[in-house]
Amino acid sequence: MTFTVRHTEEDGEARLWLAGELDLSTAGELVAVLDRLAEAGTHRLLVDLSGLTFCDSTGIAAFVRGDNRAAAAGGWLRLTGATGRVARLLQLTGLGDILGDDSDMTDPASQTAS
């Protein structure tokens, strides 16, 4: 299965939609998009995982890297819409709690990382 990243930007915020498998061979695509957004001054990122069918440790590392970079600029990266194996991975790693993985989340800024 292929991996795709789509995104929209508006007023310093971006929404990303991931689909397919996020792993060692595809994580670079996500990192490249996150880096371009950060360089453009976009530091509030909502990442929709509803189309993601698989994620490994390199995907997790990309999420953490993106959040660290956004936080350093006063922003955030939040995850939403994870299902199946991806939701389970976020639960097992604790990343879902840290990055506000909540499919019903409407205001990512209201989520606090502990």
Side-chain angles (χ1 to χ4, degrees), residues 1-3 18-31 52-60 62-63:
M1 175 171 240
T2 60
F3 174 75
L18 308 186
E21 298 182 356
L22 180 57
D23 58 22
L24 180 62
S25 65
T26 60
E29 294 175 51
L30 175 58
V31 169
L52 200 62
T53 58
F54 177 82
C55 181
D56 71 4
S57 61
T58 54
I60 295 294
F63 295 143

Side-chain angles (χ1 to χ4, degrees), residues 39-60:
E39 290 165 10
T42 303
H43 305 296
R44 294 184 307 269
L45 310 162
L46 180 61
V47 183
D48 186 324
L49 306 179
S50 59
L52 200 62
T53 58
F54 177 82
C55 181
D56 71 4
S57 61
T58 54
I60 295 294

Side-chain angles (χ1 to χ4, degrees), residues 5-37:
V5 180
R6 292 183 308 112
H7 72 279
T8 59
E9 299 172 64
E10 188 174 321
D11 299 326
E13 294 186 13
R15 180 163 185 147
L16 292 83
W17 292 268
L18 308 186
E21 298 182 356
L22 180 57
D23 58 22
L24 180 62
S25 65
T26 60
E29 294 175 51
L30 175 58
V31 169
V33 170
L34 293 173
D35 285 349
R36 278 195 307 273
L37 291 168

Side-chain angles (χ1 to χ4, degrees), residues 55-98:
C55 181
D56 71 4
S57 61
T58 54
I60 295 294
F63 295 143
V64 171
R65 182 179 185 275
D67 182 56
N68 287 342
R69 187 161 184 184
W76 41 258
L77 181 146
R78 295 292 180 261
L79 305 173
T80 189
T83 61
R85 292 185 290 179
V86 175
R88 180 76 174 136
L89 176 66
L90 295 176
Q91 178 188 22
L92 289 172
T93 61
L95 195 60
D97 292 333
I98 295 169

